[in-house]
Amino acid sequence: MTRQLVLGIETSCDETAAAVVSEDREILANVVFSQIDEHQPFGGVVPEIAARAHLSLLDGLIERAMREAEVDWSDLSAVAATGGPGLIGGVIVGVMTAKAVAIATGLPFVAVNHLEGHALTARLTDDVGFPYLLLLVSGGHCQLLEVEGVGRYRRLGTTIDDAVGEAFDKTAKLLGLGYPGGPAVERAALEGDPARFKLPRPMVGRPGCDFSFSGLKTAVRQTVSRIDQPSSVDVADLAASFQHAVAGSLRDRCRRGMQLFADAHGAGRPFVVAGGVAANAVLRADLSALSGEMGMAFVAPPPALCTDNGAMIAWAGLERFRLGLTDALDFAPTPRWPLDPNAQIAIGAGVKA
Ligand code: KG4
Ligand code: ZN
């Protein structure tokens, strides 16, 4: 019997990506083009430029992924694309391309929630079984979720203002480290003293599992403005102090989430981190230590599969396809698509008492 293979397409932000994965968890090809040169002059992602770049790059990347995987259209079981959430222009490009492939080849189409792509990556890389606790940390999101199955998520906490990746990106900008911000802050912090600047560790000690990062961002801005002409040592120390504060906040919130999760599902289940910020080595080490302390098995996909890629979309598409969860060709791309539809919108809620 031939094994199931799915082509996955990702275009929701500034990575144009295509990949082919198999049901037995092999990544046959994973081609990612990061639009760094396109957005660097603007210090951040420009949605219109991203959409145009996706449009001109995607066909060639799909061709390359198919060639590297050494597969033909007739070898595939389905074609999957990110259907949202994300920058709508890019999402439309990916969805329209996948639909065109589906029409031309007769393959089923699967619209994948980008967040579900991140959420299920640990099943591709580490064969993690349900249920597990997930910390999803990316440029647009910061959530703790109980993952009970494909399409079955219960949100335990979320950010009430900025996403953690956004805080990394803003901090990079304030420190003159440019775009893309997260990796630049991590690199600068390597040489820095995390204890030099006392920055707030948002939400620490508060009930619940929500996050907040806008106060920390403001504290970084105020600190930068107090230093006249920051030296490279100042920048490194501030980057390290910022990262240290983020780690402290994430640790406190995750510890609470772990307690709630253990109450519901028993001890010893996996704690999974996912999303671009989960590529950060300092945060990974910190959260791994916390997992050990709390008796949970720590799972972090390799950094290249934490940041946006096509393999995560192909895999989530494959998981959905196996369950018969394909989509009609009138599927409408969507900029908003929460994983837990029952969770309240928290962004803009401000700091809760
Ligand atoms: O998941 P992702 O690639 O795209 C979204 O879905 O948002 O995450 C991108 C975010 C950006 O904010 C980026 O600065 C952050 O992840 N990021 C990092 C690192 N690598 C990427 N943040 C901290 N440390 C890193 N090494
Ligand atoms: Zn992402």
Side-chain angles (χ1 to χ4, degrees), residues 12 114 118 138 275-276 306-308 312:
S12 68
H114 179 85
H118 282 305
S138 69
C306 286
T307 49
D308 290 350
M312 71 184 204

Side-chain angles (χ1 to χ4, degrees), residues 85-206:
L87 302 174
I88 192 65
V91 177
I92 290 172
V93 171
V95 167
M96 293 308 288
T97 305
K99 286 180 180 177
V101 169
I103 290 168
T105 59
L107 288 170
F109 163 67
V110 187
V112 170
N113 183 320
H114 179 85
L115 304 174
E116 180 155 61
H118 282 305
L120 299 179
T121 299
R123 289 170 55 75
L124 166 66
T125 57
D126 294 81
D127 206 11
V128 173
F130 298 121
Y132 51 88
L133 178 66
L134 171 73
L135 174 69
L136 177 48
V137 276
S138 69
H141 298 270
C142 186
Q143 307 184 5
L144 267 169
L145 295 144
E146 282 180 51
V147 184
E148 289 168 348
V150 174
R152 290 175 51 209
Y153 302 89
R154 214 165 70 79
R155 199 183 73 192
L156 299 177
T158 189
T159 180
I160 57 174
D161 41 55
D162 297 345
V164 61
E166 203 176 333
F168 266 94
D169 295 335
K170 289 272 163 56
T171 295
K173 220 169 182 174
L174 288 166
L175 295 178
L177 297 170
Y179 156 92
V185 170
E186 181 176 10
R187 244 184 339 266
L190 283 174
E191 310 285 317
D193 172 8
R196 173 160 161 212
F197 297 101
K198 298 278 170 284
L199 297 172
R201 292 191 300 155
M203 307 298 271
V204 168
R206 284 180 189 263

Side-chain angles (χ1 to χ4, degrees), residues 30-56:
N30 187 26
V31 185
V32 181
F33 181 91
S34 296
Q35 304 171 5
I36 294 174
D37 293 346
E38 283 78 354
H39 303 289
Q40 207 146 41
F42 305 96
V45 183
V46 182
E48 182 61 25
I49 292 174
R52 283 169 193 272
H54 288 307
L55 194 58
S56 63

Side-chain angles (χ1 to χ4, degrees), residues 5-346:
L5 302 173
V6 171
L7 168 69
I9 294 169
E10 160 58 33
T11 55
S12 68
C13 193
D14 53 347
E15 261 88 29
T16 316
V20 179
V21 305
S22 73
E23 63 181 321
D24 50 354
R25 302 173 32 243
E26 188 188 347
I27 300 174
L28 283 80
N30 187 26
V31 185
V32 181
F33 181 91
S34 296
Q35 304 171 5
I36 294 174
D37 293 346
E38 283 78 354
H39 303 289
Q40 207 146 41
F42 305 96
V45 183
V46 182
E48 182 61 25
I49 292 174
R52 283 169 193 272
H54 288 307
L55 194 58
S56 63
L57 290 161
L58 187 56
D59 289 1
L61 288 188
I62 292 173
E63 209 180 343
R64 216 179 105 196
M66 296 287 287
R67 203 171 48 240
E68 282 182 16
E70 296 180 4
V71 294
D72 203 3
W73 298 114
S74 59
D75 299 320
L76 298 178
S77 300
V79 53
T82 296
L87 302 174
I88 192 65
V91 177
I92 290 172
V93 171
V95 167
M96 293 308 288
T97 305
K99 286 180 180 177
V101 169
I103 290 168
T105 59
L107 288 170
F109 163 67
V110 187
V112 170
N113 183 320
H114 179 85
L115 304 174
E116 180 155 61
H118 282 305
L120 299 179
T121 299
R123 289 170 55 75
L124 166 66
T125 57
D126 294 81
D127 206 11
V128 173
F130 298 121
Y132 51 88
L133 178 66
L134 171 73
L135 174 69
L136 177 48
V137 276
S138 69
H141 298 270
C142 186
Q143 307 184 5
L144 267 169
L145 295 144
E146 282 180 51
V147 184
E148 289 168 348
V150 174
R152 290 175 51 209
Y153 302 89
R154 214 165 70 79
R155 199 183 73 192
L156 299 177
T158 189
T159 180
I160 57 174
D161 41 55
D162 297 345
V164 61
E166 203 176 333
F168 266 94
D169 295 335
K170 289 272 163 56
T171 295
K173 220 169 182 174
L174 288 166
L175 295 178
L177 297 170
Y179 156 92
V185 170
E186 181 176 10
R187 244 184 339 266
L190 283 174
E191 310 285 317
D193 172 8
R196 173 160 161 212
F197 297 101
K198 298 278 170 284
L199 297 172
R201 292 191 300 155
M203 307 298 271
V204 168
R206 284 180 189 263
C209 299
D210 282 343
F211 303 84
S212 165
F213 293 100
S214 73
L216 175 57
K217 187 179 70 186
T218 305
V220 171
R221 193 177 59 234
Q222 287 168 342
T223 308
V224 171
S225 68
R226 274 199 297 270
I227 307 170
D228 187 32
Q229 307 233 314
S231 67
S232 59
V233 172
D234 295 330
V235 168
D237 289 349
L238 197 41
S241 301
F242 163 79
Q243 201 169 252
H244 185 65
V246 170
S249 179
L250 291 181
R251 233 181 4 246
D252 178 82
R253 309 284 79 202
C254 290
R255 183 181 283 113
R256 284 171 186 276
M258 289 171 176
Q259 273 153 1
L260 288 176
F261 190 82
D263 291 346
H265 300 283
R269 297 299 310 160
F271 173 62
V272 173
V273 293
V277 181
N280 184 293
V282 171
L283 299 180
R284 286 163 82 98
D286 221 61
L287 293 169
S288 169
L290 174 66
S291 304
E293 222 176 273
M294 301 295 285
M296 295 187 86
F298 181 70
V299 180
L305 294 177
C306 286
T307 49
D308 290 350
N309 64 85
M312 71 184 204
I313 303 305
W315 176 256
L318 204 151
E319 293 236 38
R320 294 187 75 79
F321 172 75
R322 284 200 295 218
L323 297 170
L325 300 172
T326 58
D327 291 272
L329 292 182
D330 63 355
F331 171 85
T334 170
R336 293 190 67 88
W337 188 354
L339 275 181
D340 177 356
N342 298 318
Q344 304 289 318
I345 292 177

